Every structure is written in structure tokens, then in C-alpha cells.
Amino acid sequence: MSTPPFIAMPDGVALSEPPEWPVPTLLAEPAPSHGTALLVPGFTGSKEDFLAVLAPLAALGWRAAAMDLPGQAGFPGLGPRGSHTPAALAQSVRAEIDRLDDGRGVHLVGHSMGGLVTREVVLADTSGLASWTLLCSGPGPVPAATWPSLQALSQAIGVLPMTAIWQQKEAADRAGGWTPPSDDVATFVRRRFLANDPDALADFATILMTAPDRTELAAAALATAGLPSAVVTGERDDAWPPDEQERMAIRLAVPWHLLPGVGHSPAAEDPRLAATVLHDIFSHAAGMAHVDA
């Protein structure tokens, strides 16, 4: 699971939750800024997955926002099981783009399952976008070898209490090598999981097992709109294999960036490296003459 390295709010980062806008969003706002970036989390994640990368992005001159998807971390879901399709989730992302766009477009970043959701945004309407980056995401379902755990989670929801599901998941993750960096982070990750909407979580698992490969459609949409795009991969990614992500980048006809020393969550594992690479991608898309990372 994606695990933030800390949960204390960094200087310059704040929770943006105005009464007229229900989407919980972390926001760092340097003044002036080169433009705005919106980061979208994956499966069992939340906006806090990007907590460590927002301040580095702001230090590089970017107004950086991270959102929750419907059903994540206490943000209300969209309805009963079956409601949380990529296209339905994409509508929330589109609304956030429209809210954040200052006229220069938004640099959209989708992590893991968030990549599949943001792809629906690109396929539906590229207006208001300055670039699109897939971060440790793939062209379709995760490899079949990972499906048993997803199926078990989906089947347990509605049968077992979420606390029991968390205990089983935590035990399996720890057996697989997951170690939270602190007791505070461990407490947060548990609280976040229990706050998820169960039907949304089951739908997210289904997305990861059944998402169609729409790479050629996305490539056509990018070409038609002239929208800059990139694929960023951790060299030790254990979700979609790095070579599959590289092939996706080739099919999309976009640059591929392989990040050394990190796995599936570069923004949490090495936030300064992730910020530097995203800065380079955003700067190139914005046509900045000099990239100072």
C-alpha cells in the first residue's frame, strides 16, 4: 500500500476544504507560480500519499494540489457497489481541474489506479489540461498474479467488518515486507483504511482487475489535442511491471522516465526525486526556456 513517510503537515501545505467545495484537497501555493499540478491517488490511497512531494513541488515553483477520490479516506462515495467506475470517478477529477484551473491549464498526474481514472478525463475532454502524467500506472489490469488478494478483499467486504479486513490486510502486508515509518503513520494508515467507503473499495479492486486497455484511444486523444504527456515508473514497481509501463509509453508516443531506487510510490519513497522529475515534465509542457531542478 502507498504509505506517506510522515503525516505532519509541512510548512506551506494546507487542507483546502471551502464550504462550497466538498472535495478534501491538500494545497501548496507558492507566489508566483509556474502553474498548477493536480495529483490523483490510487486504490487504498488518499491525498496524503502526496504529502511529502507537495512542498518540494512548491519550492520548484508549482502550485500543487492532491485530492481524494470519492469513497477514499472518509470522502463520501458515489453510491452502492458498481457506482465507482473509472468514468464516474473521473467526473470528480474533472470538477477539481475546473476549480483549480487559473487559465493556464492543470498538469494532471494519476498514480496507480489514479492513472486509469485520469485517462478517462483525457478521453472525455482535454480542455483545461496542460499535461498528463501517468505515475506508476499501467495500460489495463494489474497482473493476474495479484488478483487473489484483490478478490479476497472484495469478497470480504459486506461479510466481515472493516476492522477484521484491515487486520488481515495488515498482517499480509507486513508479511510481505511492509513496515510503516512511525507509529503515527501506522495509526493514520489504519484510520484511513477504516474510513474508506466499503462499496467504493470493492469497486476499486474490480477496476484493477478489469480495466480495459485503452492505450490507443488515449494516444489518439493526446495527438489530437497536442497534449504533452509522460509515463513515470519506479524501477522496483511491484504493481504493473516497469517493462509493461515502458511499452505503454511507446504506444502513447510519450517520454518514459525510469526512477532509480524506488518502487510503486515514488512521491512517498523519494519525494525530492519525484518532484524533480515532475518539475521537468511540467516545465517542458509549459515551454519554459530554462528548467532549473
Side-chain angles (χ1 to χ4, degrees):
M1 72 181 83
S2 293
T3 305
F6 54 80
I7 57 168
M9 198 75 73
D11 290 342
V13 179
L15 179 64
S16 174
E17 201 172 15
E20 70 278 6
W21 188 251
V23 180
T25 304
L26 293 175
L27 187 62
E29 297 192 87
S33 74
H34 303 312
T36 299
L38 173 62
L39 295 88
V40 180
F43 181 31
T44 57
S46 66
K47 60 190 178 301
E48 285 80 10
D49 289 345
F50 304 111
L51 191 60
V53 81
L54 296 177
L57 280 172
L60 291 167
W62 300 98
R63 178 176 178 240
M67 67 180 290
D68 290 334
L69 288 171
Q72 288 182 333
F75 181 36
L78 298 175
R81 190 177 296 206
S83 301
H84 306 83
T85 64
L89 295 167
Q91 292 179 21
S92 293
V93 178
R94 164 50 65 184
E96 186 80 331
I97 291 167
D98 293 344
R99 182 178 80 94
L100 292 169
D101 186 10
D102 62 0
R104 293 178 290 180
V106 171
H107 297 275
L108 182 62
V109 180
H111 174 245
S112 193
M113 187 197 76
L116 300 173
V117 173
T118 57
R119 183 176 66 187
E120 295 299 315
V121 175
V122 170
L123 289 173
D125 181 8
T126 59
S127 65
L129 296 181
S131 71
W132 175 47
T133 299
L134 289 157
L135 178 61
C136 294
S137 189
V142 292
T146 65
W147 293 7
S149 61
L150 295 170
Q151 291 169 334
L153 174 65
S154 183
Q155 291 165 3
I157 289 173
V159 177
L160 297 176
M162 288 291 282
T163 51
I165 296 173
W166 165 252
Q167 290 169 357
Q168 294 179 8
K169 176 175 169 51
E170 181 186 26
D173 287 343
R174 287 185 182 273
W178 176 70
T179 303
S182 69
D183 290 343
D184 285 346
V185 171
T187 298
F188 164 76
V189 172
R190 177 184 184 276
R191 185 174 68 247
R192 175 176 69 178
F193 184 87
L194 297 178
N196 285 328
D197 179 281
D199 289 330
L201 200 59
D203 284 345
F204 296 165
T206 298
I207 289 170
L208 291 175
M209 293 185 286
T210 64
D213 186 335
R214 307 184 74 187
T215 304
E216 273 63 44
L217 289 174
L222 295 174
T224 298
L227 181 67
S229 183
V231 174
V232 178
T233 305
E235 69 171 351
R236 296 187 284 103
D237 197 339
D238 58 358
W240 290 269
D243 60 349
E244 183 177 6
Q245 296 183 50
E246 181 184 19
R247 290 193 296 272
M248 178 179 66
I250 293 170
R251 293 166 63 197
L252 289 169
V254 305
W256 181 56
H257 303 262
L258 185 65
L259 305 190
V262 296
H264 186 58
S265 303
E269 296 171 45
D270 193 337
R272 294 198 177 278
L273 174 62
T276 297
V277 172
L278 291 174
H279 170 67
D280 185 46
I281 292 168
F282 301 161
S283 299
H284 185 268
M288 293 167 58
H290 175 64
V291 178
D292 182 10

